[in-house]
Amino acid sequence: MSVILTRGRVPRTPHTEFYSEPEVLALEEIHGSLGFSGDWSRKYHYRKYPTQIIRDPHRLPLDLRPQPLPPLPLQPWHLRTGRLKPHGDVVSGRVPLVYGSNTLVSAARFERSCPADRFFRNGDGHELWFVQEGRGLLASEYGVVPFHAGHYVVVPKGTTYRVELESEDCWLLVVESRFPIHFAPHYLNKSGQATLMAPVVETEVDVPEFRPPRDEEGEFRVWTKHGGGFMTEMLLGHHPFDLIGWEGALYPFAYHTDDQHPLARRIHTAPPTRQTFESGSAPHSGFAVCTFKGQIEGWHPRDVPAPYAHFNADSDEVMFFSNTSYGARKGIVEPGSFTVHPGGLPHSPHGRAAKASFAERGKLSDYLAVMLDTFFEPLSVAKQAMPVADKDYPTSWNRDTQGISAA
Ligand SMILES: [Fe+2]
């Protein structure tokens, strides 16, 4: 992220003598990305390095790898994530939905906080969450980031964190990318600052609230995800949230979709207008994430608010419907529906949805959906998602639904 923060105490000159307290040398660590060339943060540990594990690492039985399906015909998918049963915590509660060579998307419906002595670190991917339901605290070495329904939360790869639930359960869409995740570059200037025509404003980004260092001894488990879904436990003899200070541009943050300021046009706009995040080197790798947030629909006297039939041959497109106000697929989708449209197939609004959408012309809509389009990365549907797959989806465009005929 382009906003560089300083929290707690840090020396003015990097990598120079600096003390947590008299006679206790602070120990410096760089949390970097893109081989010391991307975003980074400098952290100062109170008295111990994060490498000081007190027992040999051991593999846990938890296996979060997406399982492949047997070869199937090319088809669109509809996965009803709201029908998954809440279980586990923010790590063990993940159910893989789709996966590719650089991207994994899971749904996490979970009901427990992480235990106080257990922490998670994703060694595979940078994470982007969309919070569908629930509220809680993302606690990390950088501080705490509160979140609730409607938030995006970005957690850089390698961040050590745990989640404390403040609601009975929680429902997240979790995107993992091999590449860093940042705001859409076409809305940033050359310095990385959001331009004055961007839907995003930096002052509305929720950055970590710093907490005093935990200079504590004990046994603290750090679970690290690796190899696409394996989990290894490292045991530290000191609390991992022991920073006396940090500075840099790589840290977790939240951004609420209510703070997305959509840009309206007299006629329909294509998705890059609605883009919030990007990962990788578009348009060659990674993905774009767009926020379909209610806005004034086109006010041209003959505007068609429903989208056109479309496909991007170089992208697989997935869409998470937070609510069902998105007219294009009314009667087919439910809250938490996750559709998968492979690049080789066009998809479209439902039958007569285009005509029905005339009534929305010039009005404020209230839909909320999150779309992810990969670049040159085919996605496969995971076997774990099959219990909530809509088997009738491929022919759904040819069916009558609530008040909208297919004919
Ligand atoms: Fe689409």
Side-chain angles (χ1 to χ4, degrees):
M1 188 172 166
S2 60
V3 179
I4 297 166
L5 299 180
T6 302
R7 293 289 186 269
R9 288 194 299 122
V10 297
R12 184 168 181 271
T13 306
H15 215 58
T16 54
E17 234 178 294
F18 188 63
Y19 291 88
S20 307
E21 59 180 81
E23 307 301 323
V24 178
L25 185 68
L27 299 175
E28 184 182 355
E29 178 197 5
I30 298 291
H31 180 192
S33 63
L34 301 177
F36 286 123
S37 300
D39 288 353
W40 56 270
S41 282
R42 181 189 313 281
K43 308 190 282 190
Y44 288 90
H45 296 275
Y46 201 98
R47 69 176 78 234
K48 288 194 171 178
Y49 278 119
T51 48
Q52 291 178 251
I53 57 173
I54 56 175
R55 210 174 289 160
D56 283 342
H58 73 275
R59 278 270 289 275
L60 299 167
L62 182 61
D63 183 353
L64 295 173
R65 288 175 302 162
Q67 294 163 14
L69 288 170
L72 292 169
L74 181 66
Q75 60 188 292
W77 291 89
H78 174 206
L79 309 172
R80 295 174 286 207
T81 69
R83 302 186 187 194
L84 293 168
K85 197 174 172 304
H87 68 281
D89 57 38
V90 70
V91 182
S92 60
R94 296 179 185 193
V95 175
L97 303 175
V98 292
Y99 62 101
S101 48
N102 298 311
T103 307
L104 169 65
V105 184
S106 309
R109 299 206 67 185
F110 60 100
E111 55 190 0
R112 291 200 301 271
S113 300
C114 300
D117 69 336
R118 207 203 72 205
F119 305 82
F120 177 61
R121 183 185 293 154
N122 195 329
D124 281 333
H126 299 263
E127 298 188 354
L128 170 68
W129 307 348
F130 172 75
V131 184
Q132 170 68 1
E133 280 181 12
R135 62 189 307 127
L137 274 185
L138 168 84
S140 76
E141 68 265 51
Y142 293 102
V144 301
V145 177
F147 63 83
H148 60 264
H151 261 123
Y152 285 113
V153 180
V154 174
V155 189
K157 190 191 292 181
T159 303
T160 305
Y161 72 86
R162 49 186 298 278
V163 164
E164 288 176 24
L165 269 187
E166 293 174 337
S167 51
E168 207 165 286
D169 50 29
C170 191
W171 179 3
L172 307 179
L173 184 75
V174 179
V175 178
E176 295 174 53
S177 175
R178 194 180 296 275
F179 311 115
I181 298 168
H182 44 77
F183 284 110
H186 61 265
Y187 285 127
L188 305 179
N189 65 20
K190 286 181 182 167
S191 306
Q193 184 182 25
T195 62
L196 294 170
M197 68 283 279
V200 174
V201 179
E202 280 99 344
T203 46
E204 294 179 321
V205 174
D206 300 316
V207 296
E209 297 165 20
F210 189 63
R211 293 285 189 263
R214 304 280 296 267
D215 181 30
E216 298 167 22
E217 294 193 344
E219 293 199 346
F220 303 92
R221 300 171 289 155
V222 180
W223 287 11
T224 302
K225 180 172 168 289
H226 60 103
F230 298 119
M231 200 70 71
T232 287
E233 182 177 280
M234 314 275 184
L235 195 66
L236 281 175
H238 64 282
H239 201 291
F241 296 171
D242 63 344
L243 301 189
I244 59 162
W246 62 271
E247 59 106 4
L250 192 68
Y251 49 81
F253 63 90
Y255 169 66
H256 202 282
T257 46
D258 281 349
D259 295 326
Q260 172 94 1
H261 306 293
L263 306 177
R265 202 166 76 140
R266 192 163 175 252
I267 57 169
H268 186 74
T269 53
T273 314
R274 300 163 177 274
Q275 191 178 336
T276 309
F277 295 105
E278 192 166 293
S279 187
S281 300
H284 306 294
S285 66
F287 55 71
V289 171
C290 296
T291 307
F292 286 80
K293 168 89 180 159
Q295 64 177 56
I296 302 290
E297 296 299 331
W299 57 93
H300 184 286
R302 294 172 68 81
D303 182 62
V304 180
Y308 24 65
H310 60 281
F311 68 142
N312 282 304
D314 300 321
S315 298
D316 277 16
E317 178 190 309
V318 298
M319 183 103 141
F320 181 84
F321 293 82
S322 180
N323 64 29
T324 57
S325 301
Y326 195 63
R329 300 258 60 203
K330 244 178 192 154
I332 302 291
V333 297
E334 57 188 38
S337 282
F338 182 84
T339 55
V340 184
H341 295 118
L345 291 175
H347 55 282
S348 74
H350 195 78
R352 293 287 185 190
K355 201 165 181 186
S357 76
F358 296 171
E360 308 304 318
R361 200 176 279 157
K363 291 185 183 161
L364 179 64
S365 49
D366 69 344
Y367 47 76
L368 182 59
V370 175
M371 186 187 79
L372 181 150
D373 273 17
T374 60
F375 299 114
F376 298 97
E377 182 186 350
L379 297 174
S380 301
V381 175
K383 191 177 174 184
Q384 290 100 320
M386 284 304 98
V388 294
D390 173 3
K391 300 289 191 297
D392 297 324
Y393 187 61
T395 56
S396 64
W397 281 270
N398 207 36
R399 282 202 311 269
D400 290 351
T401 68
Q402 299 167 2
I404 303 181
S405 82

